[in-house]
Amino acid sequence: MPSLSTTAIVCAVRHHGEHGAIIRLLTPDHGLLPGYVRGGRSRALRPVLLPGNIVKADFRARTEDQLAGLTVELAQSRAPLLAEPLPAVAIDWSCALTAAALPEGTPYPALHQALDGVLGAVEAAPAARGWAVALVRYELLLLAELGFGLDLTRCAVGGDTDDLAYVSPRSAAAVSRAAAVGYEARLLPLPPFLIEGGMGDWTQLLDGLRLTGFFLERSILIDRRADILAARERLVDRLKRAVA
């Protein structure tokens, strides 16, 4: 990718040297891409290079192996949301997850569209219930896109498609209420909104986050990437306090 001009979502920012920054952007057609922004720590660029913002990005590199130089122009700012506790942790987590989980340079158009939808929902919804469902669905999609999808279509034990109420932590497959009798404590609750659609109440939303969090931690957020789980813990903790 010697050169590329595209819109993109800012997912991660890391200071580099005294004045620069290395930015990781999720693009619609080229996936997650890094670039070096000269003066990225300046007063002018700091409000542009915030996770969740949408930028017009120009990548320039002499070779495909070289870290591209990057110039950015703000297209849409979500900076005001970062002053609000719940929206701030939702943006922080969803962008950090994307930056940590995705390999660079692999197109994930569905994930780009879904992340943009999550951030748009955080921006538009008056309360967390308006975007929490979108976030759970984004995490499920990310698991599926990376090869760790859950099978929520039928019971792993009997093949039933009705009354699916749990997920096996071993097989990542749904289990019906009847088949789960006696084993409920070993299984993860499956919130109805993941099967039937709709919003779900707070208990179901927290069950959804518990479900996706288990598989994200087991399959993706391992080794050096496990430290970003702190961002997710802050999110879940704030959601619990919001409904207490």
Side-chain angles (χ1 to χ4, degrees), residues 11-84:
C11 289
V13 181
R14 178 167 60 87
H15 293 167
H16 185 80
E18 291 186 13
H19 306 290
I22 295 176
I23 314 301
R24 305 183 80 192
L25 303 176
L26 185 62
T27 68
D29 301 316
H30 297 82
L32 191 71
L33 295 177
Y36 174 76
V37 179
R38 189 182 300 275
R41 299 174 64 179
S42 68
R43 182 177 299 178
L45 284 177
R46 281 200 304 268
V48 176
L49 301 177
L50 293 174
N53 279 358
I54 297 177
V55 296
K56 296 177 181 178
D58 289 302
F59 294 86
R60 296 290 183 269
R62 293 180 180 178
T63 68
E64 291 188 357
D65 297 329
Q66 181 187 42
L67 178 65
L70 176 61
T71 58
V72 295
E73 178 184 341
L74 184 64
Q76 181 179 353
S77 175
R78 294 191 169 103
L81 295 172
L82 300 180
E84 302 179 31

Side-chain angles (χ1 to χ4, degrees), residues 32 35 40 52 59 99 113 167 180 190 196 200 237:
L32 191 71
F59 294 86
Q113 183 178 7
V167 174
L190 173 59
E196 303 166 0
D237 180 63

